[in-house]
Amino acid sequence: ETLVHQALVASIVDSVGDPTLVGLLLGKAAVANERGIDLRVSSDTRIPDRVAGAMDLVTIVGNLIDNALDSVEPHENGTVEVSIREDADATHVRVSDSGPGVPADIVDEIFTDGFTTKVARGVGRRGLGLALVSQAVRRLGGDVTVTNEDGAVFSVTLPHAREAVAG
């Protein structure tokens, strides 16, 4: 188990240059391990040392992973896979899980502030994570979608900011 965790740590450090994102992914990997969930960072994950909008990206990735972990926790052999990559035009985030997926009748509601399918535990506020994801994605001019493929798959595209062209 220690060797698997060390391999994950090495993989994250090698492929993710931004220290804030490295810290986030390592922290989420530790939480997943404590819950008995297999958190995988896809081999196509590549992020440079300084990514534009890093704090928004942390909000997006962190909340998507949290929701995925909550989705698979009750299920045996739960897995969550994360991929973050950049191309010439955009940053692409994909978080998939082996949970039950998102019922079709609530797909349009899940990004609404206060909407939750989780049973209330204590006094804390619920239904905030995916609303924060949606707000951060919109602020960056991006797009977020959810599909079901053997569990939920959240895909985010964040276009790179373009400099204004002098006319």
Side-chain angles (χ1 to χ4, degrees), residues 60 63-65 67-68 71 81-83 92-97 101-102 107 110-111 130 133 143-149 151-157:
I60 293 164
N63 281 293
L64 290 177
I65 292 173
N67 278 305
S71 175
E81 184 159 346
V82 179
S83 171
H92 304 275
V93 176
R94 184 177 191 270
V95 177
S96 61
D97 64 60
V102 178
V107 166
I110 62 173
F111 295 102
L130 290 178
V133 168
D143 183 47
V144 59
T145 60
V146 60
T147 57
N148 291 308
E149 300 169 25
V153 178
F154 286 83
S155 300
V156 174
T157 301

Side-chain angles (χ1 to χ4, degrees), residues 54-68:
M55 292 313 296
D56 282 323
L57 193 55
V58 165
T59 296
I60 293 164
V61 173
N63 281 293
L64 290 177
I65 292 173
D66 285 344
N67 278 305

Side-chain angles (χ1 to χ4, degrees), residues 2-164:
T2 300
L3 291 175
V4 170
H5 185 70
Q6 287 175 340
L8 177 63
V9 169
S11 169
I12 290 171
V13 171
D14 288 345
S15 63
V16 179
D18 185 87
T20 308
L21 287 170
V22 168
L24 172 75
L25 291 171
L26 292 177
K28 297 302 180 187
V31 170
N33 187 48
E34 289 173 6
R35 293 184 182 183
I37 298 168
D38 184 17
L39 176 67
R40 301 174 187 160
V41 177
S42 176
S43 61
D44 72 346
T45 293
R46 294 287 179 270
I47 296 295
D49 291 345
R50 299 277 178 222
V51 60
M55 292 313 296
D56 282 323
L57 193 55
V58 165
T59 296
I60 293 164
V61 173
N63 281 293
L64 290 177
I65 292 173
D66 285 344
N67 278 305
L69 292 174
D70 288 346
S71 175
V72 300
E73 189 168 16
H75 308 286
E76 287 187 29
N77 301 318
T79 60
V80 172
E81 184 159 346
V82 179
S83 171
I84 310 167
R85 61 182 181 76
E86 285 196 333
D87 60 26
D89 299 318
T91 300
H92 304 275
V93 176
R94 184 177 191 270
V95 177
S96 61
D97 64 60
S98 62
V102 178
D105 60 330
I106 66 167
V107 166
D108 293 334
E109 298 175 67
I110 62 173
F111 295 102
T112 304
D113 188 2
F115 181 83
T116 186
T117 60
K118 299 171 187 164
V119 177
R121 295 183 200 158
V123 204
R125 184 165 182 223
R126 306 294 297 181
L128 184 61
L130 290 178
L132 289 173
V133 168
S134 178
Q135 290 169 7
V137 168
R138 279 196 319 260
R139 185 171 42 254
L140 296 172
D143 183 47
V144 59
T145 60
V146 60
T147 57
N148 291 308
E149 300 169 25
D150 298 324
V153 178
F154 286 83
S155 300
V156 174
T157 301
L158 303 170
H160 295 309
R162 298 283 183 216
E163 292 183 25

